Amino acid sequence: MVTTENSLPEPRVLAQPLALACGATIPNRFCKAAMTEGLASPRGVPGEALEKLYRRWSRGGAGLLLSGNIMVDGRYLERGGNAVLENDLQLEQFRRWAAAGTEAGNQFWVQLNHPGRQCSRIVNSQPLSPSGVQLELLGNFAKPREMTVADIKNVIHRFGRSAALVKEAGFTGVQIHSAHGYLGSQFLSPVTNRRQDEWGGTLANRARFLLETVDEVRRQTDPTFPISVKLNSADFQKGGFTLEECLQVATWLGQHGVDLLEISGGTYENLVFMDTSGDSEKRESTRRREAFFLEYAEAIAAATTVPLMITGGFRKVSTMVSAIEAGTTAMIGLARPFCVAPDLVNDILTGHLEQLPDHEKQLVLGKGFLGTASSSAAIRAINNQGQAGWYYHQIRRLARDQPPREQLGVLNAFCRHMVNDFSLGIQRRRLG
């Protein structure tokens, strides 16, 4: 690896543009990956806060920005404060958001999503899922209704309709979220998809929802519009979606014309990229590596011609350079570091930054916090949600043109997060 005189890794490979099969080009190899913002109005309309936030990130130098979850059906949200794009009634507000997020000439893609059963009780007391398998997590989720075939086809159409509106609003691409236990991921996993019809059982049937969604998005946009998919490398859950199945789905996605494949992993029950305990079912060799999913990406890259993006854990520039040079990934996905260092890409590409901030190590409660050994699961939940809340707090500050508040503790962040999300959910529920 080439290094500069000051011993920082040479970032030239990270500055190279990436040409996609659809004809679009990403200016460099950095992506501000999707993070749920919770900054839209109770009716799901983006406003000044999201414009300020993404204008700031656009100026930070990343070649690609991905929005957080934008929902295709306003009845079912991942959390209160999600933006919703299901019709053209607020298209002007989305146009302003798109213009702000592309100010510096970067790509700005919308991540489209449907939560399936991962829709909290506060928002909707009867979510949808491929099968009626309830998510047991702090009592926050109701038992879902098994989707009818008409429900399935309606959601697929909604993804296409929302993608067409994304394009009309001036965003430059779209990502279909099929990871982290959301609806697309629920169809892929035997744990949550126990159907016996053409939408369940074999892997080909379980992948039908995702592949038909990709086809519908392409049908309602055009061949030159970038389409990405976020896919689990594995669920890291007994009986769930496996790496071997991921390899086959990745191959199919290439055949269906996907332009960029983001690799992640886990579900709400086992969010491996947020696990601070080291107790997850990840391979030990993967846990030791800096970027969580690099080991899995090596196998996936060999199975598909679609360029990959790896998100999760990258902190050293030298690791990023090595991953690109080795061909393991074509794009470096970064999320949380952008919350406290929005200029990090500019700093890397000018040779002024060698390692990104990593606050997770400080945002951890000790095992003795609740006093008993049986409290470890509760501590892990508080740590994970407290870390998420800490970064949500920084996002809200960026959206107000305020500097990060790095001294906020994990317990304080956890409480703020719970109160804020409950309030957002209640506001949304009152609208019906």
Side-chain angles (χ1 to χ4, degrees), residues 280-312:
S280 78
E281 295 180 13
K282 287 185 296 179
R283 301 178 190 178
E284 181 62 32
S285 57
T286 300
R287 194 179 301 132
R288 288 195 300 264
R289 299 178 72 162
E290 179 184 304
F292 303 142
F293 304 109
L294 274 176
E295 182 175 345
Y296 302 94
E298 291 167 0
I300 297 166
T304 182
T305 58
V306 180
L308 300 187
M309 179 171 89
I310 308 303
T311 302

Side-chain angles (χ1 to χ4, degrees), residues 333-387:
L334 300 169
R336 290 178 167 185
F338 278 98
C339 299
V340 292
D343 292 312
L344 65 89
V345 172
N346 287 333
D347 290 339
I348 290 172
L349 295 181
T350 55
H352 293 100
L353 186 64
E354 181 179 13
Q355 183 157 345
L356 306 184
D358 187 358
H359 294 277
E360 282 85 353
K361 294 176 182 177
Q362 288 74 44
L363 295 171
V364 179
L365 294 174
K367 291 184 178 180
F369 174 70
L370 296 179
T372 65
S374 62
S375 66
S376 60
I379 292 173
R380 186 161 58 248
I382 292 172
N383 283 336
N384 289 342
Q385 291 302 311
Q387 286 183 12

Side-chain angles (χ1 to χ4, degrees), residues 225-277:
F225 193 65
I227 298 176
S228 172
V229 168
K230 187 167 188 171
L231 183 70
N232 273 359
S233 55
D235 289 346
F236 305 105
Q237 186 177 19
K238 185 177 180 180
F241 186 65
T242 66
L243 174 62
E244 290 70 24
E245 291 177 324
C246 173
L247 300 180
Q248 179 60 71
V249 173
T251 300
W252 288 334
L253 288 171
Q255 295 167 356
H256 282 252
V258 166
D259 296 291
L260 184 68
L261 182 59
E262 181 181 3
I263 300 302
S264 192
T267 66
Y268 269 25
E269 292 106 326
N270 194 7
L271 285 172
V272 295
F273 53 91
M274 290 175 60
D275 187 10
T276 60
S277 67

Side-chain angles (χ1 to χ4, degrees), residues 123-252:
V123 173
N124 193 310
S125 59
Q126 191 175 62
L128 301 178
S129 191
S131 303
V133 182
Q134 186 170 2
L135 174 59
E136 302 287 352
L137 190 64
L138 302 176
N140 194 31
F141 301 93
K143 183 177 177 62
R145 175 174 66 82
E146 181 173 308
M147 298 173 75
T148 65
V149 173
D151 289 328
I152 294 171
K153 292 184 176 180
N154 175 262
V155 173
I156 291 171
H157 176 76
R158 282 176 174 273
F159 269 95
R161 172 62 174 154
S162 294
L165 292 167
V166 164
K167 184 174 183 293
E168 187 177 349
F171 296 93
T172 59
V174 68
Q175 182 182 76
I176 300 165
H177 200 334
S178 190
H180 300 174
Y182 293 115
L183 185 61
S185 181
Q186 289 164 37
F187 269 96
L188 288 171
S189 174
V191 172
T192 46
N193 185 350
R194 302 177 183 177
R195 302 177 70 97
Q196 299 300 313
D197 61 5
E198 69 271 26
W199 303 94
T202 66
L203 178 61
N205 283 352
R206 285 183 278 123
R208 187 185 306 275
F209 174 82
L210 173 59
L211 298 177
E212 291 199 9
T213 297
V214 170
D215 290 345
E216 182 67 11
V217 168
R218 182 65 76 197
R219 186 185 72 81
Q220 293 203 44
T221 56
D222 64 57
T224 66
F225 193 65
I227 298 176
S228 172
V229 168
K230 187 167 188 171
L231 183 70
N232 273 359
S233 55
D235 289 346
F236 305 105
Q237 186 177 19
K238 185 177 180 180
F241 186 65
T242 66
L243 174 62
E244 290 70 24
E245 291 177 324
C246 173
L247 300 180
Q248 179 60 71
V249 173
T251 300
W252 288 334

Side-chain angles (χ1 to χ4, degrees), residues 43-46 84-85 87-95:
R43 294 192 180 276
V45 182
V84 179
L85 187 55
N87 55 53
D88 61 1
L89 296 180
Q90 285 84 34
L91 202 58
E92 184 56 38
Q93 289 92 327
F94 281 92
R95 285 194 179 102

